[in-house]
Amino acid sequence: MKSKLIHGLALLLISALTYGQGQQNYKPTKENLKAREWFKEAKFGLFVHWGVYSILGDGEWVMNNQNIAIDAYKKLPGFFNPTEFNADEWVKMAKDAGMKYITITSRPHAQW
């Protein structure tokens, strides 16, 4: 228990000392600012969370939220074979609804 407390305090100290570093000298490019403005003006878009994790219907953090072991999670890709869809219909639906963009997240962060 004492060891966990020491590790936790060390992590907190390191986090406090390094907070904000690397952000101080950031200057967005002209292209980046233009893209941000476009995104701000576009307002309405579609985010499709569609990857191996979507099989379980609990979002990107399903492995963490349901305490799924890595060995068990690694079996899921064999079940994810998205062939029964029509991308043109998805795009048409989004456009007809007034959406300006579609973003597909298939693996937003490493899970193992």
Side-chain angles (χ1 to χ4, degrees):
M1 180 68 177
K2 188 176 180 180
S3 175
K4 286 185 180 181
L5 179 61
I6 291 171
H7 283 103
L9 288 173
L11 183 61
L12 184 62
L13 177 63
I14 290 169
S15 297
L17 292 174
T18 60
Y19 177 76
Q21 292 183 3
Q23 299 288 327
Q24 298 166 353
N25 297 323
Y26 174 72
K27 284 238 186 231
T29 64
K30 195 180 294 186
E31 293 82 9
N32 181 270
L33 292 171
K34 186 177 177 181
R36 289 183 197 190
E37 191 60 33
W38 179 91
F39 184 75
K40 184 178 169 185
E41 294 297 320
K43 295 183 181 178
F44 188 43
L46 176 65
F47 279 76
V48 180
H49 299 274
W50 194 37
V52 170
Y53 56 85
S54 62
I55 294 169
L56 302 176
D58 194 19
E60 299 90 345
W61 288 93
V62 66
M63 191 175 159
N64 181 61
N65 294 344
Q66 294 186 19
N67 292 323
I68 299 172
I70 292 172
D71 290 339
Y73 194 83
K74 284 183 175 181
K75 295 176 184 174
L76 289 177
F79 296 98
F80 186 72
N81 186 13
T83 58
E84 302 284 328
F85 74 99
N86 185 322
D88 291 331
E89 285 179 11
W90 287 22
V91 171
K92 183 179 179 339
M93 176 204 61
K95 283 184 172 184
D96 289 349
M99 295 179 192
K100 305 292 185 197
Y101 61 89
I102 298 175
T103 301
I104 298 176
T105 64
S106 60
R107 186 172 179 199
H109 48 75
Q111 299 210 2
W112 61 75

